[in-house]
Amino acid sequence: NCLYGTHIAGGDIHFFQLALGAIKVGFQLHFFGGHALAYHLQKQEISATQTVTDSQMMPRINAESLGGQLRLLWDYIGRFFRTICNLGKIQKDDFAYAVTDYWFDALPVIFCRAHRKVMVWHMQAPSLKEIIFRTRADVDAKRLASLYFWASQNLTLWLFRRCTNKRLIYINPCMRDILLAKGYREEEISHVSFGVTVDNPSPSGVKSDYDVVWLG
């Protein structure tokens, strides 16, 4: 439910690659999402069925403005309830995968009757202290978006921990200790690389001509 336009981000690419991998090993996929998801599935040539959770692709909005954020929130609320109304399509023997840790993606997976549930944790929200004192660069002066991000993530991580047969995928190696501190067991979490080697490379004798820093 998190896709709402024709643009694509790093987490979306991660999601599409996982979907293609699942198809390659023989899984049949069914997606819950809006018209934007249908657009991207066609562009990525992913063969799957879909339950559509909105009436049309959202027009371009200014997500930096309060009005744009409220419109986006209202759209997510609608998609969430249309997803909840269709949870009967998910059977006990299915795998249910939450593409993000946002409430509108994660809660339907947490509430559905699938016995095997998977969620991915891409990015750590700022802490309440970081939000109040604005000690993290992505916290804006209004703080509303950051508070929403913090509340959504803490809720879904807390509820997902209470699922029985679950697996949480985390992207950054630093997240492991956080999840263990939150009560997750080692066998319930798995690290999937975000595509960057974080270990110090051994000396190779080859001097590079330039260095690259990639964010997002």
Side-chain angles (χ1 to χ4, degrees):
N1 278 322
C2 196
L3 279 165
Y4 56 91
T6 57
H7 61 281
I8 191 170
D12 303 323
I13 296 171
H14 189 269
F15 156 55
F16 294 139
Q17 291 300 315
L18 286 177
L20 288 167
I23 291 172
K24 187 175 181 179
V25 297
F27 284 100
Q28 292 182 326
L29 304 188
H30 183 86
F31 296 96
F32 291 80
H35 284 73
L37 173 62
Y39 167 85
H40 286 290
L41 292 178
Q42 184 177 13
K43 293 281 286 185
Q44 298 292 325
E45 298 182 350
I46 295 176
S47 178
T49 54
Q50 180 183 350
T51 296
V52 180
T53 58
D54 61 9
S55 57
Q56 63 179 359
M57 192 183 300
M58 174 176 279
R60 182 176 292 274
I61 63 169
N62 178 14
E64 301 299 321
S65 69
L66 180 59
Q69 291 172 356
L70 290 174
R71 284 183 60 195
L72 196 57
L73 176 60
W74 181 249
D75 185 69
Y76 285 147
I77 290 172
R79 294 194 215 187
F80 169 74
F81 281 108
R82 293 183 200 103
T83 302
I84 290 294
C85 290
N86 284 282
L87 286 188
K89 296 180 179 180
I90 300 176
Q91 304 301 314
K92 290 182 178 180
D93 291 335
D94 291 335
F95 282 92
Y97 175 63
V99 181
T100 73
D101 61 88
Y102 281 114
W103 61 273
F104 42 79
D105 275 330
L107 292 185
V109 169
I110 292 169
F111 296 154
C112 78
R113 58 182 171 176
H115 283 173
R116 295 165 294 188
K117 302 180 180 183
V118 185
M119 186 172 79
V120 62
W121 186 21
H122 282 285
M123 179 178 170
Q124 185 181 354
S127 67
L128 198 56
K129 182 179 178 180
E130 288 172 328
I131 296 171
I132 293 171
F133 296 102
R134 291 193 66 199
T135 53
R136 205 169 102 166
D138 58 345
V139 179
D140 62 19
K142 296 177 183 175
R143 296 177 174 79
L144 289 177
S146 296
L147 284 169
Y148 169 76
F149 186 16
W150 171 82
S152 172
Q153 187 168 98
N154 279 273
L155 173 66
T156 55
L157 287 175
W158 180 71
L159 288 175
F160 191 71
R161 185 169 66 85
R162 281 151 178 76
C163 296
T164 52
N165 196 5
K166 62 182 176 295
R167 181 60 60 96
L168 196 146
I169 299 170
Y170 61 97
I171 306 301
N172 192 313
C174 299
M175 294 173 170
R176 174 182 171 274
D177 291 340
I178 297 171
L179 290 172
L180 294 177
K182 287 182 178 291
Y184 285 87
R185 299 194 303 271
E186 193 77 60
E187 63 270 20
E188 296 175 333
I189 61 178
S190 296
H191 176 237
V192 174
S193 171
F194 48 23
V196 177
T197 301
V198 295
D199 295 331
N200 291 326
S202 58
S204 62
V206 178
K207 183 179 180 181
S208 97
D209 294 328
Y210 57 89
D211 296 318
V212 174
V213 175
W214 179 64
L215 299 175

